[in-house]
Amino acid sequence: MTIMILTVSVALFGCGGDDDEGGGSDDQDWVVGSWKSTNEAQPGDNTGWYVLNTFRFGGTFTFNEFERGYMEESGSGTYKTSGDQLIVTLDGGRTMSWTILNDDTMTWVDYGVTYTARRY
């Protein structure tokens, strides 16, 4: 009986919260701050277009999309890191995976277009 209680206790309490779930772990704190995203694949078609992504402690972020100096769209969501990937989930449920190139640059593909985000 003691072994069974010990096994159940370890199963319930021994595997505490996983830092990769829901964001906010120390290993992803480096991403906190503002990142400016551009579409470098088609710079002529996107003159004056960029997205300002702001990542916060606790795994949340906001974005503001600008075109020719005017905000066109904004939104928010959550993020977490997994290896060299930054997993971004928009409030509507859409999930995207960004590849972390180094401490100052990330890239991702959205609808076939490559975007780059640099620390701002």
Side-chain angles (χ1 to χ4, degrees):
M1 185 68 149
T2 303
I3 293 174
M4 188 166 97
I5 291 172
L6 182 60
T7 302
V8 171
S9 295
V10 169
L12 291 175
F13 303 108
C15 299
D18 186 357
D19 285 342
D20 287 339
E21 294 296 321
S25 67
D26 291 339
D27 66 336
Q28 66 190 36
D29 287 351
W30 67 270
V31 79
V32 170
S34 295
W35 296 75
K36 187 176 182 180
S37 305
T38 58
N39 172 353
E40 295 181 348
Q42 303 169 351
D45 295 340
N46 293 290
T47 303
W49 179 92
Y50 66 94
V51 176
L52 190 59
N53 303 283
T54 303
F55 295 92
R56 294 182 176 80
F57 290 107
T60 64
F61 79 99
T62 57
F63 72 89
N64 295 296
E65 180 180 337
F66 295 88
E67 188 166 348
R68 293 181 178 89
Y70 296 99
M71 188 167 57
E72 297 288 322
E73 184 178 352
S74 64
S76 60
T78 60
Y79 72 92
K80 64 182 179 177
T81 57
S82 179
D84 69 345
Q85 300 296 302
L86 177 69
I87 311 302
V88 174
T89 303
L90 301 175
D91 281 341
R94 184 167 176 236
T95 299
M96 301 165 57
S97 180
W98 299 16
T99 301
I100 300 164
L101 301 178
N102 57 50
D103 287 344
D104 295 318
T105 309
M106 295 182 271
T107 187
W108 76 97
V109 177
D110 189 24
Y111 298 113
V113 179
T114 301
Y115 298 90
T116 301
R118 290 191 173 80
R119 196 172 292 279
Y120 186 67

